[in-house]
Amino acid sequence: MVLLAGCAPSSPAKETPSSAPASSAPTSAGLPPDPQPVRTAECPYLSNETVQDANGQHVTKVSVSDDEPHPTCFFYRPDGSLQLTVRVYVGKSDVAIALVNKAAPVDTSNPATEPAGWKGGYQPVGDGVVYAVAKGEAAVVVTSNQKQSIKARTVAKKAIAALKL
């Protein structure tokens, strides 16, 4: 079972995800539950090639959550381990900011300001990094098993551009 903190596996290269269904309904704390992969499918807003080029690892499988309007995408390496997740939230601005702050708390993370107009943070997580930004009612949280934040930032920027957020 993957325990996600803002979609950030504690040890991305070693986790095996659960197949438990996800819901985009907010929890009692006001945040939607952490997404879970529920089926194998292509990511509707990022190609395998885009992720491979940005994260530097071959993608052999992609799973998605049931979150709406945009599923979270889970990209896997040839050894079956999770290499990268991309969570996209569109809804209430306070929830978007809270999701970013949960993934990369403003008090402890480095400031993230890309793409222009987006704000959040990035920091090490487990064996990798998380890059989380929000703008208006949208949030994008990328977790990579690579330690270089530029890789997660590149994926976040590509997801934001593809979704026209």
Side-chain angles (χ1 to χ4, degrees):
M1 178 172 164
V2 173
L3 298 176
L4 299 173
C7 196
S10 61
S11 182
K14 299 175 187 165
E15 296 291 338
T16 303
S18 159
S19 59
S23 165
S24 57
T27 63
S28 60
L31 291 180
D34 292 332
Q36 299 295 319
V38 295
R39 68 183 178 283
T40 299
E42 293 299 313
C43 182
Y45 49 87
L46 286 173
S47 70
N48 292 3
E49 293 76 23
T50 297
V51 171
Q52 288 174 174
D53 290 347
N55 206 46
Q57 296 175 314
H58 187 65
V59 172
T60 55
K61 177 184 167 189
V62 180
S63 292
V64 296
S65 70
D66 279 339
D67 296 304
E68 294 293 335
H70 309 293
T72 296
C73 297
F74 301 81
F75 295 88
Y76 297 87
R77 298 171 13 153
D79 69 2
S81 63
L82 186 61
Q83 68 164 292
L84 188 120
T85 60
V86 184
R87 180 179 192 176
V88 177
Y89 170 84
V90 177
K92 297 180 178 179
S93 59
D94 59 334
V95 174
I97 292 167
L99 285 170
V100 167
N101 197 40
K102 179 181 175 188
V106 71
D107 292 340
T108 58
S109 67
N110 298 299
T113 57
E114 289 185 51
W118 290 74
K119 295 173 104 179
Y122 66 93
Q123 68 182 12
V125 60
D127 293 332
V129 67
V130 63
Y131 186 90
V133 288
K135 178 181 175 186
E137 298 175 341
V140 175
V141 178
V142 177
T143 306
S144 170
N145 67 350
Q146 301 293 298
K147 292 190 181 291
Q148 302 89 352
S149 62
I150 190 169
K151 294 180 178 192
R153 180 175 68 226
T154 298
V155 171
K157 289 167 63 174
K158 289 189 178 288
I160 290 165
L163 291 166
K164 297 177 173 60
L165 296 175

